[in-house]
Amino acid sequence: MAVRAFLARARRRAVVLRAIEGAAIGTMAASMVRVVFGPAFARLAILAGLLLAALWIVSAIRRWRGTELAAALERRAPGAFRNLLITAWELDASPHRAMRYAGERVCRDAAAAAGRADLRALIPLRRAAVLAAAAAVATAVTIAVPETARPGAAAGASAPGISSVSVTIVPPAYTRLAAQDLHDPDRLEILAGSNVRLVVRAAAAAVRLESPDLEPRPLTPRAGGVFEGSIAIDRSGYLALQAVADPDFRLKPEATLPWLPPSGGSGAPSGGSLARRLIPVTVTPDGPPLVDIRAPARDLVLPEARAVDVHLAASDDFGLQSVSLRYTKVSGSGENFTFTEGDLPVQISREPSGEWRGRAALPLTTMGLERGDQVIYRAAATDNRPGAPHAFSPSFIVEIGRPGLAAAEGFAIAEEHGKYALSQQMVIVKTERLHARRPGLDAETVARETSALAAEQRMVRAEFVFMMGGEFEDEAVEAEAAAELGEGRLENRGQRDLIAATRAMSRAAGLLTAADTAAALVAEKEALAALQRAFSRNRYILRTFALRARVDAARRLAGDLSAVADWRRVQDAAVADARTTAVQRVLTGVASLRAREALAADQAADALRLAEACLRVDASSSPLQQAATALTRASRAISAGEPRASIDEALQSAADQLVSTARATLAPGAGAEGTIDLARLRGAMAGALRGAKR
Amino acid sequence: MILRRILRAAAILIAAAGMVDPAFTRNAPERPLVAIVTLEGPSMDLPADGGTRRVLAGRLAERLTEDLSPFARPVPHAVPGARAYVLIGDGRAPSSLPSESPVYAVSTDSALEPNAAIAGVSAPARVASSATAEVAVDVTQLGLGGRTSVVSLEHRGLTLDRVSHTWSSETSFRARLRFTPSDVGLARVRAVVSTDAPEAALADNAADALIEVGAARLPVLVYDTRPSWSSAFVRRALERDPRFDVTFLSSISRGARVRTGDAPATLADPAILSPFAAVVVGAPELLTAADVSGLERFARVRGGAVVLLPDRPPQGPVLRLIESSSFDEVLRDDSVVMTEDGRLRGSEFAIGTSLPPGAQVLAALPDGRAAIWTRPLGTGQVLYSGVLDGWRYRSGDDFDRAWAAIIGHLASSAPPRLAVSVSRRLVRPGGRADIVVTVRPDALPASAPIRVPPVGAQLMGRTETTNVRVWPSATPGRFEGALSAPAAPGAYRLVARLDEGPGTTTEASTRLLVADDVREPLTTSAGALAAIATAHGGLSVPAAGIDRVAPHLRERLHPQSVPQTTHPMRSAWWIVPFAGCLGGEWWLRRRRGLR
């Protein structure tokens, strides 16, 4: 029968069509599985493709037979068959369902319609064939092209990875230092203001650069799986490079160390440490210039104004830009002082070592200085760093016409000035000790030791006398009447107190020579009291003497107490130091890793996150940087499947640094507690000893 | 006929005698019972004589059994009625050894040379997470002169601290290691000693200790009779330290005080002071006699620490606590370092001319005079600081850390109202540990006789709770007991409760860890065992001297004539004559045609 033959041909064509479609679908499915799960799942991809293709073909074969096939052909060409095809098929199967003549008519018309029908149009194969060919080409491309050559192809990959990192450190231009190239560095040590250029080779859709001071940003992709970027660095910290399969990649927090915050809005990739690279960065700031005054390099008290030559020297690690001499003129007295500032030119000579040596003259004669006025001067220098502040040398003072120094030719106040007043205390202390030991000493020993003390007392006195410019016949009268005193009556009193001190010292020395230690002590303490009074009133000496401020006990509790009331202060409970707590938590993480029997890719990511946590705590801390480096090493060792011993060594190295950091701030706690029985025993023993003593 | 009656009568007699069960007592010689106890101390795993000490002890026990059998009845464990005890090996002696029974100690110890061993680990039970803790490790050596041993402290596989020591002629060394806590909870630390030379045994090179991280805050009262820099800066140091709960009162003027919390207005009442572990007094020269009495009782009875921080030479009633009536005022022209770690400095001092008995110097002048010292006073302590201007030298945080450490140590030494301690906090399943519960004296009712409130203890695990019986000892407020570690490894909490009345219960607790792999110091108790043997009139011999035990015992133990009671009718053999009589009587009846 013609209709049956037509349907048989149609079915064969439909099977061919579905077979082509199944092949296309299977190929596409296999390609997708490989892309999603990686080359390691190639067999799974083939299996999935075959399975899908088979399912598709079987379903088509089962569906495209008999009535269903006729109905499908009717749907594809309703005007051509007008329901004849399906009716003829049913009558062929069940001839008694219609009158004979009607059945013959239907079959005849259906055969005619089938004869006119074009199966190639009803069941086209070309589109399916093209689709299958395209799928095959895509699959071939997926398999044939290597991962690293396809930045975009990794979008579906699950294990992005960084294969290498090249770093070029470009120091600031003013340093004139050459750029430095590093390959896969463990850490970077750079000068502040340097620019770091990164070239990353990675199998990933994108590589993101993270730093504590910056929002994460993508590196620029280049051909061949290369990503580039640069960053200017001023502070110690770290650079984290994150290879991601999806530029919008967001990761869930890690389960094994849930207390660690996700880094930079994302955690570590599931693919292990190769997808993330952490590089600690230590920044060395450009040091300020070193500038010093070489001559006269001491304070001067001049009887009258004259020019003073100042010699200075300056140096810098990357070169100097300028050196000058700055001065401040202080004139006036009492509470009325005027300050005038200015710069003086310096004659510079440059040494081969890079040091600058300068010479300047302090024109004291043209400054209009009067007796008691001071000039404070210091050298200033700048280096080539843009915006760098001045560096200064120590300041020195030139004072004009200090009372009592008229005869001195530029008397310099010695650096060890402070020791004179304190030496008087030492004389007292030694005399007290001798006085206490005296009952047990023979007369000869006492005489010898008191003579030595007398000599010391005279030496101390001599220093003060020298400081004041020599002895006066009547020091008190001279000091009181000195009209040229520039610092007013207080200074006058200070001078008088100094004189009183030297006189008391003279008396003490005499008493010591006579071996009268008790009386000598009185005189010595009188001298000390006079010195303290003098120093507390002298404006100039106050600069160099740290005085012990004493509360005037007589004024205590002498006020009006009618409004006095109790006050309850609210004291917040102290909390543990946050930095130390963070270090302790990292240490906990390291211990967790160390305690694990088996280490896998997740632990490699954990180690990397711990390294990052170290640097987040304090990136400028050298121990924490070393801990981060060690943890990064541990992460790589875990990823590379290195022996456990090398991993443990890296973890221990990190722990050493973390422990030392934590211990520096943790309170030193006690050892094992004693028992109450032991305390009782000690108390009883002490009581018994006390009783026996009595 | 007659025979038949005789047989019947005999059978009846046997049955009747059996029912009566007559007893006969007579004196008879008996071989003495000797208990041979093999001890199971931790050192029994050490090598000896080609095997372990445990194996050697077994062999010695077998041999002694053979030697004793001719004249004694040896039994392999401690039994009541034993006439003598032989303790072989090393370990804890049986708790009840009759004083009249001779005890023999056979030591399996052998000198391990060259060898370094951990003899003890001493660690605090608790430490705050904001502080480190000192773990003292006692190490002994034999034959390692000139070699270097490294003692390290490990936690979860990480080495937290290490100390190296080169041996000369000394045989012991105490390593002080720092435990750095990283997390709150139980920390099991392990002390390990390793030497740059092969050792005879390695089993004794490690020992564990348990530290609970996360201690409660230490309550400290700072009481200034007037504003004083000496105490102010110490108080600030304590207030910044999370280990302390500081309550403060300062009399700033007449009738005006600054205070925090519920600071008491006076120190005269020791009951008000009892919640505090330490009282820091600024300007103590203004303390009244009543204040000083209160502080004295606070130290003596409560066991608290009194810290005196004068800023001028002390005078007045407080001298009673210092026990020095005169002071040398030392004024130096430069500050001097007073402690080894250099944390405390000063230049003005008030040094007592004499030190109280039992005083312990914490800081001294270069000439050796004590600047800061503590002395025991009853159960508590008194600290006197003669550094009048130490607050002026607060470079960095040295001043704060030093004073926080000193006062922290004193305050943590003050006993709580109820304390529970356990001899071993790391035990193997089934291991035994002694426990002591102590009620502080001031918590006991002031009655005569002293009526100690009920005290109980429980060992609480995750799922099960076991009651632990504690018995009062001769010291009022002290209770003793023992516990057997549960079979299930894990962390346990030993809780003691003091029932002070309706609704008033005081609790104290400590933590235990039960684990299979506990490493303990393999210390030998040979000395103690030898002392026990000597005290009981026995012998203490090494393994090689086992031959001396049996002859000595034969001399000491003579067969005793002991009354022996026999029950002849209890012999099963009576069934034979009984059945024979009945059978014979039946046979005779049958022969005569009777039934």
Side-chain angles (χ1 to χ4, degrees):
Chain A
M1 185 179 157
V3 171
R4 194 182 300 164
F6 174 76
L7 286 176
R9 279 190 288 117
R11 184 164 185 268
R12 282 197 295 274
R13 192 171 179 85
V15 168
V16 171
L17 174 65
R18 288 312 183 205
I20 295 171
E21 288 176 350
I25 290 171
T27 306
M28 290 296 290
S31 177
M32 286 182 68
V33 168
R34 186 189 179 282
V35 168
V36 172
F37 295 102
F41 293 86
R43 290 183 181 178
L44 175 67
I46 294 170
L47 192 64
L50 288 175
L51 188 65
L52 267 177
L55 283 174
W56 183 262
I57 294 168
V58 168
S59 69
I61 291 171
R62 297 179 76 179
R63 190 155 57 88
W64 284 52
R65 61 172 56 170
T67 309
E68 289 80 4
L69 176 61
L73 292 174
E74 291 273 4
R75 282 195 299 275
R76 292 184 175 223
F81 294 113
R82 291 170 294 133
N83 220 24
L84 288 171
L85 205 57
I86 190 167
T87 307
W89 173 258
E90 287 177 352
L91 288 176
D92 184 55
S94 304
H96 57 279
R97 292 177 61 183
M99 300 295 288
R100 186 177 176 184
Y101 68 91
E104 288 175 356
R105 173 67 184 272
V106 167
C107 288
R108 192 170 54 247
D109 290 351
R116 290 192 299 272
D118 182 6
L119 273 178
R120 285 178 298 182
L122 287 172
I123 306 174
L125 297 180
R126 183 179 298 172
R127 190 181 300 169
V130 170
L131 189 65
V137 169
T139 302
V141 169
T142 303
I143 295 170
V145 181
E147 293 279 329
T148 53
R150 300 178 290 116
S158 63
I162 295 174
S163 54
S164 69
V165 177
S166 296
V167 178
T168 303
I169 301 171
V170 183
Y174 73 88
T175 64
R176 297 172 188 171
L177 295 175
Q180 184 183 7
D181 291 322
L182 300 169
H183 187 70
D184 284 335
D186 282 336
R187 56 189 297 164
L188 298 180
E189 295 188 359
I190 63 175
L191 187 68
S194 297
N195 196 283
V196 173
R197 285 205 299 264
L198 297 159
V199 178
V200 180
R201 292 189 176 278
V207 174
R208 201 165 50 207
L209 174 63
E210 299 171 10
S211 174
D213 302 325
L214 292 174
E215 284 293 315
R217 66 183 191 198
L219 297 183
T220 306
R222 306 290 184 206
V226 174
F227 300 83
E228 291 181 357
S230 65
I231 182 172
I233 297 178
D234 284 318
R235 290 200 314 163
S236 294
Y238 64 86
L239 298 176
L241 296 164
Q242 175 75 58
V244 292
D246 178 1
D248 298 325
F249 189 58
R250 289 290 183 272
L251 288 158
K252 61 183 184 298
E254 291 296 312
T256 51
L257 295 171
W259 49 267
L260 274 177
S263 55
S266 68
S270 57
S273 66
L274 284 175
R276 192 173 180 84
R277 191 69 70 88
L278 186 72
I279 307 172
V281 179
T282 305
V283 171
T284 305
D286 178 11
L290 299 174
V291 57
D292 194 19
I293 291 180
R294 299 280 172 85
R298 58 184 180 177
D299 292 342
L300 297 176
V301 180
L302 301 178
E304 57 187 14
R306 61 171 171 77
V308 173
D309 278 345
V310 179
H311 296 260
L312 52 89
S315 62
D316 185 71
D317 41 7
F318 297 110
L320 289 161
Q321 189 180 53
S322 69
V323 174
S324 62
L325 186 68
R326 292 188 175 184
Y327 70 90
T328 302
K329 186 180 90 175
V330 183
S331 56
S333 62
E335 298 299 323
N336 298 316
F337 289 100
T338 56
F339 300 90
T340 309
E341 294 186 343
D343 278 352
L344 294 172
V346 178
Q347 292 179 356
I348 299 292
S349 64
R350 303 185 183 191
E351 299 294 317
S353 62
E355 185 181 74
W356 287 15
R357 292 191 179 171
R359 183 176 176 183
L362 266 178
L364 299 181
T365 52
T366 60
M367 285 184 175
L369 296 172
E370 297 180 1
R371 290 184 179 276
D373 288 354
Q374 294 179 331
V375 174
I376 305 160
Y377 64 96
R378 56 182 177 171
T382 57
D383 59 14
N384 288 315
R385 184 159 57 98
H390 283 85
F392 295 101
S393 72
S395 297
F396 293 96
I397 297 176
V398 179
E399 186 173 358
I400 304 298
R402 183 175 171 78
L405 300 181
E409 175 58 30
F411 168 66
I413 296 173
E415 292 286 355
E416 61 273 23
H417 198 160
K419 85 176 186 185
Y420 302 144
L422 300 174
S423 293
Q424 182 61 24
Q425 289 184 344
M426 283 304 301
V427 172
I428 293 172
V429 169
K430 289 183 175 181
T431 309
E432 284 176 335
R433 288 178 187 161
L434 178 59
H435 189 65
R437 290 189 291 120
R438 183 167 186 159
L441 300 176
D442 55 57
E444 187 181 348
T445 307
V446 170
R448 189 175 64 250
E449 294 200 19
T450 51
S451 296
L453 277 176
E456 286 190 24
Q457 179 65 88
R458 282 194 295 273
M459 287 171 62
V460 172
R461 178 182 175 279
E463 296 289 354
F464 278 96
V465 169
F466 182 64
M467 184 184 80
M468 292 186 301
E471 286 268 14
F472 292 89
E473 284 297 319
D474 187 352
E475 297 98 329
V477 173
E478 184 73 19
E480 289 277 358
E484 66 273 22
L485 289 176
E487 295 180 14
R489 187 167 177 74
L490 290 180
E491 170 64 13
N492 194 11
R493 281 184 183 172
Q495 193 79 3
R496 186 182 64 184
D497 288 331
L498 278 176
I499 293 168
T502 57
R503 292 200 156 187
M505 290 178 197
S506 298
R507 198 164 60 251
L511 291 167
L512 286 169
T513 306
D516 186 354
T517 49
L521 269 174
V522 174
E524 287 167 6
K525 289 179 178 175
E526 187 182 324
L528 180 63
L531 285 176
Q532 288 175 335
R533 283 199 306 273
F535 294 163
S536 67
R537 291 188 174 93
N538 189 296
R539 173 169 66 92
Y540 175 73
I541 294 178
L542 268 176
R543 186 180 67 84
T544 54
F545 283 82
L547 294 178
R548 295 180 179 181
R550 293 193 176 275
V551 175
D552 183 359
R555 295 174 58 193
R556 283 194 68 249
L557 307 178
D560 178 12
L561 303 180
S562 57
V564 172
D566 283 1
W567 174 47
R568 188 176 292 274
R569 186 162 62 91
V570 177
Q571 176 67 39
D572 294 331
V575 293
D577 175 51
R579 180 179 184 271
T580 309
T581 304
V583 171
Q584 286 176 296
R585 296 181 75 175
V586 175
L587 183 59
T588 302
V590 176
S592 299
L593 288 178
R594 177 65 180 79
R596 289 182 76 98
E597 289 187 2
L599 297 171
D602 282 350
Q603 282 70 55
D606 285 345
L608 208 59
R609 296 173 70 232
L610 287 168
E612 212 165 308
C614 283
L615 297 173
R616 283 178 186 278
V617 172
D618 185 356
S620 62
S621 162
S622 175
L624 291 180
Q625 284 182 355
Q626 293 179 40
T629 305
L631 285 166
T632 306
R633 199 165 65 240
S635 173
R636 288 184 188 173
I638 296 170
S639 294
E642 290 183 17
R644 183 63 190 253
S646 63
I647 298 170
D648 289 348
E649 186 184 347
L651 293 175
Q652 181 62 54
S653 174
D656 287 344
Q657 301 300 330
L658 293 168
V659 166
S660 70
T661 304
R663 198 178 292 170
T665 50
L666 286 174
E673 308 90 350
T675 63
I676 189 172
D677 297 325
L678 189 60
R680 279 179 181 143
L681 186 63
R682 285 188 181 138
M685 175 69 82
L689 289 171
R690 199 174 303 118
K693 199 175 173 183
R694 286 172 186 158
Chain B
M1 172 75 176
I2 294 173
L3 182 59
R4 200 180 69 219
R5 286 181 179 176
I6 288 171
L7 289 174
R8 183 183 298 175
I12 292 171
L13 273 174
I14 290 171
M19 293 178 67
V20 171
D21 187 24
F24 301 97
T25 303
R26 64 185 179 91
N27 286 332
E30 185 189 63
R31 288 183 301 164
L33 197 63
V34 177
I36 300 175
V37 183
T38 304
L39 302 176
E40 281 295 330
S43 69
M44 296 300 282
D45 290 323
L46 287 174
D49 199 22
T52 64
R53 294 180 180 180
R54 182 171 286 102
V55 174
L56 175 61
R59 288 206 304 267
L60 294 173
E62 288 176 8
R63 178 170 172 186
L64 194 60
T65 302
E66 289 178 10
D67 294 347
L68 294 178
S69 294
F71 63 94
R73 287 181 295 150
V75 289
H77 47 266
V79 291
R83 297 268 306 282
Y85 291 81
V86 182
L87 310 179
I88 301 177
D90 182 35
R92 187 190 183 101
S95 55
S96 55
L97 291 172
S99 58
E100 68 277 9
S101 300
V103 175
Y104 294 80
V106 182
S107 172
T108 53
D109 283 7
S110 57
L112 297 172
E113 187 174 352
N115 191 48
I118 290 182
V121 179
S122 176
R126 285 194 177 96
V127 61
S129 59
S130 59
T132 61
E134 182 185 287
V135 178
V137 182
D138 293 312
V139 185
T140 60
Q141 69 91 15
L142 204 58
L144 289 176
R147 296 291 188 171
T148 299
S149 293
V150 176
V151 188
S152 54
L153 187 70
E154 297 178 354
H155 175 51
R156 302 185 71 185
L158 292 176
T159 300
L160 299 182
D161 199 5
R162 55 177 75 83
V163 169
S164 66
H165 178 74
T166 301
W167 298 101
S168 54
S169 59
E170 77 280 11
T171 57
S172 65
F173 161 69
R174 168 164 279 206
R176 298 183 183 279
L177 301 164
R178 281 273 149 204
F179 166 69
T180 304
S182 58
D183 204 3
V184 173
L186 278 182
R188 178 179 169 184
V189 296
R190 173 163 292 182
V192 180
V193 60
S194 58
T195 308
D196 58 353
E199 294 187 50
L202 295 176
D204 53 3
N205 283 32
D208 295 341
L210 192 67
I211 300 173
E212 186 175 356
V213 180
R217 293 186 181 230
L218 297 166
V220 176
L221 170 65
V222 180
Y223 188 94
D224 287 353
T225 59
R226 61 169 168 78
S228 164
W229 289 127
S230 287
S231 64
F233 286 103
V234 172
R235 170 177 55 80
R236 291 180 192 177
L238 300 183
E239 285 175 343
R240 282 192 286 263
D241 194 322
R243 291 179 297 163
F244 298 97
D245 179 12
V246 181
T247 305
F248 164 59
L249 182 136
S250 176
S251 297
I252 54 172
S253 184
R254 285 190 294 272
R257 296 187 176 97
V258 176
R259 70 177 75 198
T260 61
D262 295 323
T266 175
L267 303 178
D269 186 357
I272 298 178
L273 299 182
S274 67
F276 300 103
V279 177
V280 180
V281 182
E285 73 277 2
L286 296 182
L287 288 175
T288 64
D291 288 337
V292 173
S293 296
L295 286 174
E296 188 171 357
R297 186 166 172 75
F298 169 73
R300 280 188 184 282
V301 182
R302 189 257 178 256
V306 178
V307 179
L308 303 173
L309 300 176
D311 54 11
R312 62 181 62 170
Q315 57 185 1
V318 75
L319 296 179
R320 208 167 79 217
L321 294 174
I322 305 172
E323 290 196 355
S324 181
S325 55
S326 60
F327 295 86
D328 289 337
E329 287 189 63
V330 179
L331 184 65
R332 296 185 60 94
D333 55 356
D334 57 348
S335 64
V336 293
V337 176
M338 295 171 296
T339 50
E340 286 181 7
D341 56 10
R343 293 186 187 280
L344 283 179
R345 305 173 68 90
S347 61
E348 292 182 13
F349 305 91
I351 307 295
T353 50
S354 62
L355 269 181
Q360 182 185 359
V361 178
L362 303 183
L365 294 180
D367 60 8
R369 285 186 289 175
I372 303 174
W373 48 257
T374 63
R375 75 176 183 98
L377 181 61
T379 316
Q381 299 179 80
V382 172
L383 180 144
Y384 169 74
S385 169
V387 190
L388 306 182
D389 67 342
W391 54 272
R392 295 175 59 199
Y393 305 97
R394 306 188 309 280
S395 62
D397 59 354
D398 283 353
F399 179 87
D400 288 8
R401 288 166 67 85
W403 276 109
I406 291 171
I407 296 177
H409 179 60
L410 291 173
S412 59
S413 299
R417 192 173 179 82
L418 179 71
V420 58
S421 62
V422 60
S423 60
R424 296 159 71 198
R425 302 178 62 237
L426 267 165
V427 284
R428 290 192 178 91
R432 179 193 157 96
D434 296 329
I435 64 172
V436 174
V437 180
T438 310
V439 183
R440 211 170 60 201
D442 64 330
L444 296 173
S447 62
I450 296 173
R451 291 185 177 278
V452 179
V455 169
Q458 286 182 318
L459 184 64
M460 306 171 75
R462 281 189 179 175
T463 55
E464 75 280 18
T465 298
T466 311
N467 287 323
V468 181
R469 190 178 297 279
V470 289
W471 300 94
S473 70
T475 306
R478 179 186 167 94
F479 298 80
E480 297 171 349
L483 62 81
S484 180
Y492 292 82
R493 183 176 288 279
L494 179 64
V495 181
R497 290 187 181 84
L498 171 68
D499 186 4
E500 299 184 87
T504 309
T505 302
T506 303
E507 273 194 9
S509 68
T510 189
R511 302 284 294 274
L512 283 85
L513 191 65
V514 179
D516 292 313
D517 57 345
V518 171
R519 298 285 296 268
E520 293 178 288
L522 303 187
T523 53
T524 173
S525 50
L529 294 172
I532 291 173
T534 306
H536 281 258
L539 285 178
S540 173
V541 297
I546 189 77
D547 295 338
R548 295 165 52 198
V549 175
H552 199 271
L553 272 170
R554 184 188 285 273
E555 290 179 8
R556 292 286 303 272
L557 304 177
H558 301 290
Q560 278 187 324
S561 183
V562 294
Q564 289 186 340
T565 300
T566 55
H567 295 266
M569 296 311 297
R570 293 186 185 179
S571 173
W573 289 107
W574 281 109
I575 198 68
V576 176
F578 182 69
C581 291
L582 289 179
E585 193 266 348
W586 178 78
W587 179 73
L588 291 173
R589 282 166 61 92
R590 294 289 291 175
R591 280 191 61 189
R592 288 179 176 274
L594 296 177
R595 296 178 67 97

